[in-house]
Amino acid sequence: MNMVQILQTSPLFAGTKEDEIAQLLHCLEERTSDFARDRAIIEEGDYTGELGIVLKGRVHITRHDFWGNRSLVTEVGVGESFAEALACTMLPSEVSVIAAEQSTILFLNIHKVITSCESGCVFHHTLIENMVRLLSQRNLDLLKKIDHLTKRSTRDKLLSYLNSESKRQQNRTFTIPFDRQQLADYLCVERSAMSTELSRMQADGLVEYQRREFTLHHEEF
């Protein structure tokens, strides 16, 4: 797919046509950059006035504490965006955005995104409405993650997350976007303890899994 076709899959451009997106990109001062794997796109403490959309690859949004422990906030894939709230607030970033693999990122001027252009085109109004929905969804996603993390045990955190993914994908068998280390970082648990708990859950008949594919069996789900 070319860039415009990818953007048609993005929630930010929902409801806009190819020719409308082409016009919008010029208005939004678009630029693209390539990033090698593990290269920082945004580092903690950085300021930015742009949001990013992944055109190729994957990026991880991470946070490090004072002692250097890393937690994975989320993964962003092709067609998905990041740094919307950061760009709107113009405050220093409290997270890092890292290329999880070779990635191409489209950057858009946030001021141009959230304000109507001089021509007052209808599809720019649609873009602004989409931005409001997108930020609202980010808040809901954050609440969902908080719900996982507030569970007391590693098993409860895993079940909460896997249950959420099963419902989101509307299937008892589903694929998660994380490898084992990334899943441990996302749930803020120690990897070896998490792996041990997954083995126990499989022995107890709660789940079956192979790499990133999981099947839930407990009748609760």
Side-chain angles (χ1 to χ4, degrees):
M1 291 191 294
N2 61 35
M3 180 168 67
V4 172
Q5 290 172 327
I6 292 172
L7 293 179
Q8 283 190 299
T9 70
S10 170
L12 185 60
F13 288 92
T16 54
K17 301 176 181 177
E18 285 193 28
D19 59 331
E20 295 171 344
I21 292 176
Q23 294 181 55
L24 277 170
L25 288 177
H26 176 72
C27 176
L28 302 178
E29 299 182 355
E30 57 93 7
R31 67 181 183 88
T32 59
S33 292
D34 294 322
F35 295 87
R37 180 178 180 179
D38 295 329
R39 182 181 169 191
I41 301 169
I42 298 174
E43 294 185 332
E44 292 185 38
D46 284 354
Y47 293 82
T48 183
E50 298 175 311
L51 66 86
I53 298 177
V54 180
L55 298 179
K56 175 186 175 183
R58 296 175 298 122
V59 305
H60 286 164
I61 299 177
T62 65
R63 182 191 297 269
H64 292 81
D65 64 20
F66 179 81
W67 297 274
N69 300 309
R70 188 187 83 150
S71 62
L72 177 60
V73 178
T74 192
E75 179 177 89
V76 182
V78 172
E80 296 179 317
S81 58
F82 59 88
E84 306 93 347
L86 175 63
C88 284
T89 60
M90 292 298 293
L91 294 173
S93 178
E94 296 186 2
V95 298
S96 296
V97 182
I98 309 295
E101 58 187 56
Q102 177 72 35
S103 300
T104 301
I105 308 299
L106 169 69
F107 294 97
L108 303 176
N109 183 307
I110 192 65
H111 177 72
K112 298 289 186 179
V113 171
I114 63 177
T115 57
S116 298
C117 57
E118 294 179 357
S119 59
C121 52
V122 174
F123 43 85
H124 200 139
H125 292 313
T126 300
L127 186 72
I128 295 171
E129 292 175 0
N130 288 343
M131 174 59 78
V132 173
R133 292 191 185 94
L134 184 59
L135 291 174
S136 298
Q137 185 62 52
R138 289 283 188 271
N139 284 334
L140 293 176
D141 292 342
L142 180 58
L143 288 173
K144 188 181 298 183
K145 181 173 183 181
I146 290 172
D147 184 49
H148 303 329
L149 298 185
T150 53
K151 298 295 187 287
R152 292 184 177 275
S153 68
T154 298
R155 174 174 291 205
D156 287 342
K157 289 180 180 182
L158 284 164
L159 288 175
S160 178
Y161 171 71
L162 295 173
N163 179 37
S164 175
E165 280 298 297
S166 176
K167 289 181 177 179
R168 184 179 70 84
Q169 299 184 40
Q170 299 182 348
N171 201 316
R172 287 174 179 261
T173 298
F174 52 91
T175 301
I176 67 172
F178 305 132
D179 62 24
R180 291 293 180 270
Q181 185 60 60
Q182 293 161 0
L183 180 58
D185 289 341
Y186 180 77
L187 295 175
C188 298
V189 296
E190 204 277 325
R191 177 181 174 176
S192 61
M194 185 194 73
S195 296
T196 298
E197 191 57 51
L198 280 171
S199 296
R200 289 173 179 164
M201 289 165 61
Q202 183 159 253
D204 291 342
L206 294 175
V207 299
E208 289 182 36
Y209 60 89
Q210 181 66 36
R211 297 183 182 274
R212 300 188 183 204
E213 184 177 277
F214 285 78
T215 300
L216 294 180
H217 290 306
H218 196 286
E219 61 183 4
E220 177 184 347
F221 302 111

